[in-house]
């Protein structure tokens, strides 16, 4: 079945007495004890509501199974702490989510796990960074905030040659636009807080992979306990039924906006993988089914005007996070990339006048008009 069908139906719990359309929400944190098998308990990741949501996400990603976590960061912590051990070395894409970067630099040294940050699209840098104790490679594509694309098949091939576990943060693409397991990547994680939840009202994370790799996460996950309860699972299931329609509309809006914004005289540059002008457009076309709802642009404005511009917007809302039905805008200089400093940002190609937009499901013309009226006011 195709993604739009799976988003609605996969994982549904078939309750035999009442035969409801929706999965029933079992609020119970325990169930009838039998002497065979494992006890039912939420922290064991085996309650029906958890399993139902995992089945839906695994079906969309083409994975065997997975686990749900209390946040995207909890999922990342489970992957890095559960699949790797003291003395291992992991290669990370340099431009990854700020929170992940912070986790790696603060927490991995405590675990005795070594790491390198590199431009993973540079094959020479990849080979030069590989060590005898390298066990994993971790990427994120499209990246934040410049929407750079990492070639999934190249990374998967490198990982296979060197027997590494390859991991991707697939949050920006969502499984509607990109299914990395089909390109040979081993482990997919999402901050479900973004597109999977989709209404800016939930926080959760998910990891999907083979039964073997997910099995390896089990002990770590049970020990640390970053699980979620049944009521939240019910909200996730409800939200995810519309994942495909939401993401298709976001793709369509973002592409239309990117094309129109590229022609506005007061915008210097638009970063969107769906544009022919994007340096990785060909790779994006090969590995993505849609180009996503995230775009960035450089506005002809001073720092002070940028703030006034964001406040003058009437529809687009200045707020961090992304993936919801409403359009949001942020200045990476003041939010995600503040800790990196101006020099670091310049090295990464992030200018002071860069703005990042999470395009929602509103009417695209209204969004464009909002940008035009706000610019007039500054
Ligand atoms: C938000 C985000 C995370 C962290 O997820 P939380 O749900 O906030 O813990 C990780 N990766 C990416 C790409 C994100 O956007």
């Amino acid at each position: 079945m195709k993604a739009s069908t799976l988003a609605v139906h996969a994982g549904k719990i078939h309750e035999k007495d009442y035969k409801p359309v929706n999965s029933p929400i079992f609020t119970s944190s325990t169930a009838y004890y039998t002497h065979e098998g494992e006890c039912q308990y939420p922290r064991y990741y085996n309650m029906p509501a958890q399993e139902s949501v995992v089945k839906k996400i695994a079906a969309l990603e083409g994975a065997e199974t997975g686990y749900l976590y209390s946040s995207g960061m909890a999922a990342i912590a489970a992957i890095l702490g559960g699949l790797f051990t003291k003395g291992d070395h992991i290669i990370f894409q340099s431009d990854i989510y700020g929170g992940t970067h912070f986790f790696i630099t603060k927490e991995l040294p405590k675990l005795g796990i070594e790491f390198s940050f590199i431009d993973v699209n540079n094959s020479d840098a990849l080979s030069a960074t590989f060590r005898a104790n390298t066990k994993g490679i971790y990427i994120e594509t499209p990246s934040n905030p410049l929407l750079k694309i990492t070639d999934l098949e190249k990374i998967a091939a490198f990982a296979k040659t060197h027997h590494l576990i390859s991991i991707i943060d697939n949050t920006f693409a969502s499984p509607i636009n990109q299914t990395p397991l089909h390109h040979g990547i081993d482990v997919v994680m999402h901050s479900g807080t973004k597109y999977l939840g989709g209404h800016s009202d939930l926080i959760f994370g998910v990891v999907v992979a083979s039964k073997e790799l997910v099995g390896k996460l089990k002990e770590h996950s049970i020990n640390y306990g970053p699980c979620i309860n049944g009521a939240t699972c019910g909200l996730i299931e409800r939200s995810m039924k519309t994942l495909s329609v939401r993401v298709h509309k976001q793709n369509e809006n973002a592409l239309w906006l990117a094309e129109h914004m590229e022609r506005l005289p007061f915008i210097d540059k638009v970063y969107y993988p769906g544009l022919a002008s994007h340096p990785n457009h060909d790779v994006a076309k090969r590995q993505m089914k849609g180009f996503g709802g995230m775009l960035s642009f450089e506005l002809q404005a001073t720092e002070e005007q940028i703030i006034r511009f964001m406040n003058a917007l009437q529809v687009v809302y200045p707020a961090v996070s992304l993936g919801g039905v409403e359009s949001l805008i942020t200045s990476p200089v003041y939010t995600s990339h503040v800790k990196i400093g101006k020099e670091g940002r310049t090295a990464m190609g992030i200018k002071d006048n860069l703005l990042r937009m999470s395009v929602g499901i509103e009417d695209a013309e209204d969004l464009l008009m909002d940008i035009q009226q706000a610019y007039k006011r500054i």
Side-chain angles (χ1 to χ4, degrees):
M1 281 186 273
K2 301 282 199 307
S4 35
T5 311
L6 295 171
V8 177
H9 295 289
K12 190 191 148 173
I13 299 171
H14 292 277
E15 202 276 326
K16 287 167 199 71
D17 295 335
Y18 174 51
K19 296 191 174 63
V21 168
N22 295 315
S23 292
I25 300 169
F26 297 110
T27 56
S28 191
S29 62
T30 185
Y32 192 85
Y33 174 77
T34 64
H35 290 275
E36 308 100 47
E38 198 175 53
C39 312
Q40 294 259 298
Y41 190 63
R43 192 164 44 74
Y44 281 65
Y45 292 79
N46 61 7
M47 300 304 277
Q50 297 168 329
E51 287 175 348
S52 149
V53 174
V54 164
K55 275 184 197 156
K56 194 187 285 297
I57 301 172
L60 286 166
E61 287 285 4
E64 282 179 357
T65 188
Y67 280 146
L68 285 179
Y69 294 93
S70 55
S71 69
M73 283 315 302
I76 291 168
I79 292 169
L80 299 180
L83 298 181
F84 301 96
T85 189
K86 193 172 167 179
D88 288 351
H89 170 250
I90 309 171
I91 299 171
F92 290 93
Q93 176 171 330
S94 50
D95 47 347
I96 50 171
Y97 178 69
T100 313
H101 196 280
F102 207 52
F103 181 90
I104 294 160
T105 53
K106 294 289 162 190
E107 304 298 331
L108 291 193
K110 293 182 205 164
L111 301 174
I113 297 173
E114 298 165 19
F115 55 88
S116 307
F117 288 106
I118 62 159
D119 172 2
V120 288
N121 277 324
N122 178 338
S123 306
D124 294 339
L126 261 187
S127 306
T129 314
F130 178 75
R131 306 175 190 168
N133 61 338
T134 305
K135 295 287 166 61
I137 180 160
Y138 183 112
I139 60 166
E140 193 174 309
T141 179
S143 72
N144 182 37
L146 296 178
L147 291 317
K148 286 190 198 158
I149 304 296
T150 299
D151 190 323
L152 296 175
E153 277 164 21
K154 263 196 202 161
I155 298 298
F158 177 80
K160 294 235 157 38
T161 307
H162 297 284
H163 308 289
L164 313 181
I165 301 174
S166 52
I167 303 146
I168 183 172
D169 181 334
N170 203 29
T171 302
F172 268 38
S174 90
I176 302 301
N177 289 330
Q178 180 169 279
T179 48
L181 298 179
H182 293 141
H183 298 272
I185 301 292
D186 300 314
V187 180
V188 172
M189 72 73 49
H190 285 273
S191 165
T193 317
K194 316 297 168 50
Y195 285 100
L196 305 186
H199 298 73
S200 308
D201 59 359
L202 292 175
I203 182 160
F204 72 100
V206 64
V207 178
V208 293
S210 64
K211 279 187 183 148
E212 190 197 341
L213 283 171
V214 172
K216 287 190 182 164
L217 294 176
K218 185 160 188 165
E219 196 178 84
H220 185 275
S221 302
I222 290 174
N223 285 341
Y224 282 81
C227 48
I228 60 177
N229 73 9
T232 307
C233 294
L235 289 171
I236 299 171
E237 205 220 349
R238 204 268 308 268
S239 300
M240 283 198 59
K241 288 188 177 187
T242 57
L243 179 70
S244 176
V245 278
R246 282 189 276 111
V247 171
H248 280 116
K249 177 70 175 167
Q250 284 160 323
N251 288 344
E252 191 186 302
N253 275 357
L255 181 60
W256 189 90
L257 260 187
E259 284 171 351
H260 284 76
M261 285 166 78
E262 221 179 15
R263 286 183 228 134
L264 292 179
F266 58 86
I267 289 178
D268 285 337
K269 192 167 175 157
V270 179
Y271 298 84
Y272 184 68
L275 290 176
S277 62
H278 189 286
N280 314 122
H281 180 58
D282 287 343
V283 185
K285 262 202 310 208
R286 205 166 59 226
Q287 67 190 29
M288 299 182 81
K289 286 168 242 166
F291 301 109
M294 301 301 295
L295 63 84
S296 292
F297 59 97
E298 288 162 4
L299 189 74
Q300 280 173 17
T302 62
E303 272 178 60
E304 178 266 340
Q305 283 175 317
I306 293 259
I307 294 171
R308 282 204 286 127
F309 171 79
M310 287 202 284
N311 291 333
L313 291 163
Q314 313 262 299
V315 181
V316 183
Y317 204 81
V320 295
S321 198
L322 59 114
V325 291
E326 57 285 298
S327 294
L328 304 179
I329 193 163
T330 59
S331 155
V333 174
Y334 292 103
T335 56
S336 52
H337 291 68
V338 68
K339 282 188 198 141
I340 294 164
K342 191 171 166 89
E343 229 171 85
R345 286 194 301 267
T346 306
M348 293 170 85
I350 300 169
K351 297 191 181 157
D352 287 347
N353 63 345
L354 185 81
L355 291 170
R356 187 198 77 179
M357 231 179 119
S358 168
V359 181
I361 64 167
E362 302 96 335
D363 184 278
E365 281 183 41
D366 284 342
L367 298 173
L368 187 67
M369 271 162 60
D370 195 27
I371 288 164
Q372 287 170 307
Q373 69 76 26
Y375 194 77
K376 268 201 195 113
R377 283 167 60 186
I378 66 159

